[in-house]
Amino acid sequence: MKNALDSAFFNRDLCRSVTNPVIAAPNWRFGARALARFGKEVIMNAYLYAAGRRMAAGLEGRFEILSGIAARYVEVLAIVFLWKWAYRKRESLYGMNEEQMSAWMILAAGLTVFYSMQVHLKIRDEIKRGGLGFLYPCSLPGMYLAEDLGRAVTGLPIRCIPVVLLGGLTFGLIPPAGEKELLLAACFAAGGWLMVWIMYAIVGTASCWLMELGELGVALAVLIAFLSGSMLPLEFFPQPVREALFRLPFRYAFQTPLSLYLGRITLEEGIWELGAMLVWILLLLCMLKLVWESARKKQQGDRGFGG
C-alpha cells in the first residue's frame, strides 16, 4: 500500500510540476520554452525512478522470496516426478527422452517466475479508482513497464535462477545445445517477457469494459500455460491443434527458447522465429495502443470530459 501511494503521489506531483509553469518555474526553473526541451528528460527520469523503486522493493521481504522459491520448487518436484512415472517403460515420447523432459520442465518453471508481472492488476486498480491515471501527461503504461522491468531485474537472480538451480541439483540439468543456441534462447526469453507484458497490459486495459468478469489476468495465465508449451510441449498435441498453436504468438515465450536450448530446432529456424516474434510484438503494441486510447476516451466520457 505504501509503495502504491508513493507512486501515485510521485506521478501527481511530477505531472503538476511539468504542466504548471507557475510551479515549475520557481522549483525547476522551467518555463514554457524549457518545458519542450526538458520534458522528455523529466519523464525518462520518472521511469528510471519507478524502476529503481521496484528493484529496491524486490530485494525486501526475505520470507516472501524464500516461500515463493519453495512453492515453485515443490511444483517442479511434482511435475518432474510425474514425467518420470510416464517414462518408466519408455525411452522417449515424441522424440524427447526423460532427461530432456526434466530439463524442459525445470527451465519452464524458471521462465514462469521470470514472466511474473503486475501491470494488469495496476491498470485494473487504476480503472476502479476512476481512471485518473489515464489523464496524466506521463505515460502510465510506461511507468508500469519500468516498474515491472525493475521487478524482473531483481527477480532473475533471487527468484528465477534459484528455482532452476534447485531443480538442476535435484534431477540434473543437461547443458544447452551450444553457446549460440543459449544466447538466442536468452533473446527469446527477453522478447517473450515483453510480449507477455503487452498481453497482460491489454487484458488489464480491457477491464474498463469487462470489470464485472473479475480478474482477467488469471484466464490469460492459464492460456499462456497451456498454449505456449510451458506445461506440455506442443509436439504432444494432436496434429491439427499443434498446427494451430504454432500460428499463435504464445509459443515464442516457452516452446521456442526451450527447443533452442535442447537443440530441437536449428539456429537458422530460431533466427526466423525471432523475426516472427518481433512482428507479433509490434502487432500487440498497436493493439495495446488502440485499446488504451479507447479506454482513455471512455474514462474521460464517464467523468464528463467528453464523449
Side-chain angles (χ1 to χ4, degrees), residues 3-299:
N3 291 339
L5 291 176
D6 288 346
S7 178
F9 282 116
F10 175 81
N11 284 336
R12 184 195 63 188
D13 295 340
L14 173 67
C15 297
R16 288 180 62 233
S17 299
V18 171
T19 56
N20 190 337
V22 176
I23 298 176
N27 290 340
W28 292 351
R29 298 181 181 179
F30 278 175
R33 296 178 182 176
L35 177 61
R37 185 188 310 170
F38 297 108
K40 291 184 178 180
E41 180 180 350
V42 172
I43 293 175
M44 181 59 66
N45 288 337
Y47 297 152
L48 294 176
Y49 172 85
R53 281 188 58 84
R54 187 52 54 192
M55 289 175 65
L59 297 174
E60 299 175 356
R62 296 179 182 177
F63 177 77
E64 179 185 356
I65 293 173
L66 293 176
S67 62
I69 294 174
R72 186 62 62 177
Y73 177 60
V74 170
E75 293 180 11
V76 171
L77 290 176
I79 194 166
V80 174
F81 278 128
L82 178 63
W83 278 109
K84 284 184 174 293
W85 178 84
Y87 275 96
R88 71 191 188 281
K89 294 182 179 180
R90 300 177 178 89
E91 293 185 0
S92 66
L93 286 171
Y94 294 94
M96 295 184 66
N97 58 37
E98 182 179 335
E99 289 184 345
Q100 290 177 323
M101 182 59 72
S102 297
W104 186 288
M105 293 303 160
I106 293 170
L107 294 172
L111 284 175
T112 300
V113 175
F114 179 59
Y115 292 153
S116 299
M117 49 200 65
Q118 297 182 0
V119 58
H120 57 297
L121 300 175
K122 290 181 175 292
I123 294 177
R124 189 169 185 268
D125 291 342
E126 192 73 26
I127 294 173
K128 280 185 176 181
R129 289 195 295 266
L132 289 177
F134 288 101
L135 308 179
Y136 288 171
C138 300
S139 172
L140 197 64
M143 295 294 292
Y144 291 156
L145 176 60
E147 291 183 355
D148 280 331
L149 277 174
R151 183 181 295 107
V153 169
T154 56
L156 182 62
I158 67 176
R159 298 175 188 270
C160 175
I161 293 179
V163 171
V164 176
L165 288 177
L166 287 174
L169 291 174
T170 305
F171 300 104
L173 184 65
I174 60 177
E179 295 180 356
K180 294 181 180 179
E181 285 81 357
L182 179 61
L183 179 60
L184 189 56
C187 293
F188 270 100
W193 185 95
L194 178 59
M195 185 179 65
V196 171
W197 186 91
I198 297 172
M199 291 179 181
Y200 274 109
I202 293 173
V203 166
T205 309
S207 298
C208 188
W209 298 275
L210 305 174
M211 185 71 71
E212 66 277 4
L213 296 182
E215 215 288 275
L216 299 178
V218 176
L220 178 59
V222 173
L223 281 177
I224 292 175
F226 279 99
L227 304 182
S228 66
S230 171
M231 295 186 65
L232 185 68
L234 299 186
E235 289 86 354
F236 285 67
F237 287 89
Q239 181 68 22
V241 178
R242 181 167 67 250
E243 291 180 356
L245 295 181
F246 269 94
R247 299 178 185 274
L248 299 177
F250 301 102
R251 68 188 179 96
Y252 300 116
F254 287 92
Q255 177 78 20
T256 304
L258 296 178
S259 296
L260 275 167
Y261 181 93
L262 297 176
R264 294 179 60 81
I265 61 176
T266 64
L267 276 174
E268 290 74 15
E269 291 173 331
I271 292 173
W272 278 105
E273 293 199 11
L274 182 62
M277 182 182 70
L278 293 177
V279 172
W280 270 109
I281 289 176
L282 291 176
L283 291 175
L284 290 170
L285 277 174
C286 293
M287 184 183 300
L288 174 59
K289 182 176 177 60
L290 291 175
V291 175
W292 183 269
E293 289 299 321
S294 298
R296 183 182 61 83
K297 292 178 181 178
K298 181 179 185 299
Q299 290 290 311

